[in-house]
Amino acid sequence: MLYAIISQDKPGSLSGRLEARPEHLARLEALRDNGKLVLAGPHPAIDSDDPGDAGFSGSLVVAEFESLETAQAWADADPYLAAGVYEKVTVKPFKKVLP
């Protein structure tokens, strides 16, 4: 089943995000390489593809996992969480309808 992992950044966490980014991306690339990743990306803090110093307000990952518990465990091991970037992480089932 698909799960949405919706994460909210702590204010002022851009430096931690940038530092933990390579390890964060490696985990996403592993999901992609295993055919499990539907989409992933950050939410810019301002209306711009390149928010600069404004940074990001969070992230969204939609991926296939065996269960809600497995998805939650994957989210709990995110380097951004360990680095103190995320303030809140919500994991919930997702049903893709379109496209």
Side-chain angles (χ1 to χ4, degrees):
M1 179 163 192
L2 295 178
Y3 295 89
I5 302 170
I6 306 149
S7 306
Q8 181 177 333
D9 285 16
K10 292 179 182 176
S13 61
L14 181 58
S15 63
R17 177 182 270 273
L18 295 174
E19 186 175 320
R21 188 170 189 262
E23 191 178 352
H24 173 80
L25 288 178
R27 295 177 79 239
L28 292 169
E29 289 165 352
L31 280 179
R32 179 201 60 203
D33 293 348
N34 288 318
K36 304 293 185 184
L37 184 64
V38 175
L39 63 88
H43 300 284
I46 60 173
D47 191 12
S48 173
D49 283 339
D50 182 5
D53 291 339
F56 300 91
S57 64
S59 301
L60 171 65
V61 174
V62 177
E64 182 181 344
F65 292 94
E66 293 177 13
S67 65
L68 179 59
E69 292 78 17
T70 304
Q72 185 68 59
W74 188 90
D76 289 346
D78 195 301
Y80 282 170
L81 196 57
V85 174
Y86 290 153
E87 181 172 69
K88 179 180 178 185
V89 178
T90 303
V91 180
K92 53 187 170 178
F94 180 81
K95 182 178 178 180
K96 182 179 175 184
V97 175
L98 293 171

